[in-house]
Amino acid sequence: MSSPIWHPFTQHALTPDATLVSRGEGAWLDTANGRMLDAISSWWVITHGHRHPKIVEAIRRQADLLDQVIFAGFTHQPAEELARALVEFVPPGLSRVFYSDSGSTAVEVALKMALGFWKNQGKARSRIIALEHAYHGDTIGTMSAGARGVFNAAYEPLLFDVVRLPFPGAGHERQSLELLKAAASNAAALIAEPLILGAGGMLIYSPDVLRDMAAICRDTGTLLIADEVMTGFGRTGTRFACEQAEISPDILCLAKGLSGGSLPLAATLCREEVFTAHYSSDRSRTFFHSSSFTANPIACAAARANLEIWRQEPVQARVAALAQAQESRLARFRDDPRFGNVRRLGTIAALDLKVPDAGYLAQVAPDLMQFFHAKGILLRPLGNTIYVLPPYCVTAAELDLVYDAILEAGGKFG
Ligand SMILES: Cc1ncc(COP(=O)(O)O)c(C=O)c1O
């Protein structure tokens, strides 16, 4: 009998059976079809590499002590220690930590915090401002803030309206900032993936624009929500992308790399004022959000170990070396007529394969994916955009395997 599993973002009528994976180590996965180089960090989550020994050991130790406990009215050491360490680790000014378990929930929590902030002050500000091509998750709220398209057309009747800013890429900055200025004075929040829109196609915009956006938010009182679910923990070259614009958001969403990618955990951090707006003897002002596995102790212990790795190991140097290694490998594609828009931000590299049919649903995406898989490389192009987002332990020789395969793909599909 075929598997009863319904896989995410998978058209089962068209896709071959899922590849069975039995083990991971460093940048590699052992699969039923042989070893595979994980060049997308297993959907952007693995930072240091699969099964970093310190994270594995922390998980083992915590599993022996406390597996799970209700987090309303109860707390535990891993959550407490992690929260204190996180407040120190993120951009300054974020003093409160709310735990959840995925990027989508981190963003839902952020949106709810923003609306509660205004409601509890008796102010009618509920409008959300978001970027064109944004992706913030797959729940109804996060899809509402995200770009509309084939992914959410069926759910459109349930999605709420947002003010949509044009993507502020080169040449469009002014238009985007003008619209933000016009909309911000009575909005609840601007939500943005800082510096790079991931699922929207690895689209990069400048730190100057982000800084200007933050200034408009500050001047109008609109809360700035930075969705660093993908960009956080070194991906863009700095710990957080916001650092490159020298800004601190009012609310920060973290997930994916929070536990080094080992276990599902998310955190939404906020400024004290957002917490204070919910702090009252009036129970109706409570922040009404929870999920059963909020602050799971084992996941918190894994995340605490992740922050220790950042403290004890030269992670920042690894990130810088990877960024440079990516840059040098992109060089040969810059003059290649089969590729366009060759780009990089920190450790993330992307390039577009020039094909006549280039949309997200274009056949080239699954064809490319299968081509790379057959070569033992896990890449998952976004339409005709091929991106390389590896764990920081990837070696120069491993990166060469990836880029040799991309070059070959250019000859076959470009
Ligand atoms: C910027 C951003 N926000 C939110 C999410 C949703 O995260 P999750 O898949 O953990 O729900 C993603 C996932 O890719 C993301 O890239």
Side-chain angles (χ1 to χ4, degrees):
M1 186 193 135
S2 66
S3 167
I5 295 173
W6 191 344
H7 287 267
F9 269 71
T10 301
Q11 177 44 267
H12 282 268
L14 298 173
T15 311
D17 288 342
T19 305
L20 191 69
V21 183
S22 53
R23 194 170 174 277
E25 178 152 14
W28 291 91
L29 297 168
D30 289 351
T31 86
N33 303 330
R35 277 187 9 122
M36 239 185 186
L37 181 55
D38 187 354
I40 59 162
S41 299
S42 283
W43 249 344
W44 321 345
V45 301
I46 299 290
T47 48
H48 313 294
H50 287 274
R51 291 195 309 108
H52 188 293
K54 287 178 185 151
I55 294 178
V56 172
E57 178 54 27
I59 290 171
R60 278 211 185 99
R61 247 185 291 126
Q62 186 55 40
D64 260 348
L65 287 173
L66 177 65
D67 47 0
Q68 165 65 13
V69 67
I70 180 172
F71 205 61
F74 292 83
T75 191
H76 48 77
Q77 208 63 28
E80 293 291 340
E81 287 176 10
L82 174 61
R84 284 196 190 91
L86 264 182
V87 165
E88 295 299 315
F89 190 76
V90 299
L94 298 158
S95 54
R96 296 284 168 172
V97 180
F98 191 96
Y99 289 114
S100 62
D101 42 30
S102 74
S104 298
T105 54
V107 173
E108 288 282 350
V109 163
L111 296 172
K112 287 173 71 174
M113 278 180 178
L115 264 75
F117 173 78
W118 292 110
K119 169 87 167 46
N120 287 345
Q121 297 176 76
K123 295 190 180 148
R125 289 175 71 153
S126 58
R127 185 51 69 97
I128 299 296
I129 307 172
L131 298 185
E132 185 188 15
H133 304 307
Y135 177 78
H136 298 292
D138 282 331
T139 55
I140 296 295
T142 59
M143 278 193 294
S144 299
R148 306 297 160 87
V150 65
F151 329 97
N152 44 42
Y155 327 115
E156 184 78 36
L158 293 186
L159 305 186
F160 56 78
D161 282 340
V162 301
V163 176
R164 189 73 62 189
L165 304 183
F167 174 68
H172 301 277
E173 301 94 334
R174 184 185 292 272
Q175 200 192 350
S176 197
L177 291 170
E178 289 298 322
L179 189 52
L180 173 60
K181 237 181 240 168
S185 54
N186 59 3
L190 163 68
I191 179 162
E193 298 161 78
L195 302 190
I196 182 165
L197 275 56
M202 301 295 164
L203 305 173
I204 299 170
Y205 63 99
S206 85
D208 291 345
V209 176
L210 182 59
R211 195 178 306 116
D212 289 348
M213 285 178 163
I216 294 169
C217 287
R218 196 178 51 239
D219 293 347
T220 53
T222 291
L223 298 173
L224 173 61
I225 302 171
D227 176 354
E228 294 235 23
V229 166
M230 188 277 269
T231 53
F233 297 93
R235 290 288 178 208
T236 66
T238 41
R239 282 181 182 181
F240 298 97
C242 282
E243 289 167 35
Q244 295 179 43
E246 296 171 330
I247 59 150
S248 283
D250 300 294
I251 303 177
L252 174 69
C253 306
L254 304 177
K256 294 188 187 282
L258 173 56
S259 63
S262 62
L263 287 173
L265 183 70
T268 308
L269 288 91
C270 67
R271 284 193 192 286
E272 197 63 18
E273 301 91 286
V274 178
F275 175 80
T276 312
H278 294 82
Y279 189 82
S280 167
S281 54
D282 176 356
R283 282 179 199 279
S284 73
R285 288 182 172 212
T286 303
F287 184 52
F288 292 108
H289 192 99
S290 85
S291 48
S292 314
F293 287 102
T294 296
N296 171 264
I298 302 172
C300 286
R304 198 176 46 176
N306 169 42
L307 292 191
E308 277 302 293
I309 292 166
W310 272 89
R311 206 170 58 81
Q312 295 169 351
E313 298 185 15
V315 181
Q316 198 65 62
R318 278 179 209 145
V319 163
L322 174 55
Q324 219 185 356
Q326 291 270 58
E327 184 63 30
S328 70
R329 276 153 191 83
L330 284 177
R332 65 175 155 170
F333 294 90
R334 292 199 191 272
D335 299 322
D336 189 326
R338 296 166 302 185
F339 294 92
N341 199 7
V342 178
R343 56 204 185 273
R344 181 187 64 84
L345 180 68
T347 72
I348 306 166
L351 65 175
D352 299 345
L353 184 62
K354 289 185 188 158
V355 287
D357 179 15
Y360 181 84
L361 292 186
Q363 184 57 34
V364 73
D367 287 351
L368 280 169
M369 194 161 72
Q370 253 185 304
F371 171 81
F372 292 127
H373 287 194
K375 296 195 156 301
I377 292 166
L378 173 46
L379 282 173
R380 193 182 160 89
L382 294 156
N384 64 321
T385 297
I386 302 170
Y387 66 90
V388 183
L389 196 155
Y392 309 149
C393 64
V394 76
T395 65
E398 288 162 352
L399 266 190
D400 285 337
L401 293 177
V402 177
Y403 283 94
D404 286 349
I406 295 175
L407 197 65
E408 205 181 319
K412 194 169 157 71
F413 300 96

